[in-house]
Amino acid sequence: MDVTPAAVRRPSPKEDTVFAALASPVRREVLRLLREDGPQSVQDLASRFAMARPSFSEHLRVLREAGLVSERRDGRRRLYRLEPVPLVHVRDWLDPYERFWRDRLSALRHLLDGTANDTADDTADDTGTRAHQEERP
């Protein structure tokens, strides 16, 4: 029985693949390295992780299949490069949630600012001095 509301757009299999690839901290770190340092060989990337080479190669395969990286042969070396287009789709998917939270936090800020102003108004008399100060004889 499908309990998903009919109005909800189902992600494409490609989007699911991208989100699944991004679920791993190792793969997110590979993407960060490629973003910051540009294309790199498998050896250079793998040297930054404490894992067996076959395990690391599996992470690269997942990223490749998701379209997040591309592979190019340079002689005997394989160079990996970040492919940003799938990340644009992720950003587009996340954008409504960012707007949602930005609006909620803005409303909270306005509410708190209004409460702070009301409290300040309640503690000052007509001359602007604090009402809770004791009168001096």
Side-chain angles (χ1 to χ4, degrees), residues 24-82:
S24 164
V26 170
R27 293 189 287 265
R28 289 192 307 269
E29 179 64 8
V30 169
L31 295 177
R32 185 192 67 77
L33 292 168
L34 293 173
R35 184 192 73 225
E36 291 180 359
D37 301 334
Q40 296 179 50
S41 70
V42 176
Q43 294 81 8
D44 291 341
L45 287 168
S47 70
R48 298 183 181 191
F49 296 89
M51 67 176 58
R53 181 69 181 270
S55 297
F56 186 74
S57 293
E58 179 65 18
H59 285 291
L60 290 175
R61 182 190 63 74
V62 170
L63 290 170
R64 236 183 8 259
E65 288 177 357
L68 291 164
V69 298
S70 60
E71 175 187 39
R72 178 177 62 88
R73 294 220 182 252
D74 181 30
R76 296 182 64 191
R77 295 180 348 150
R78 288 181 293 155
L79 296 176
Y80 280 83
R81 178 186 134 175
L82 175 67

Side-chain angles (χ1 to χ4, degrees), residues 119-133:
T119 303
D121 291 344
D122 290 344
T123 59
D125 64 17
D126 291 41
T127 62
T129 59
R130 298 277 175 206
H132 68 276
Q133 293 176 345

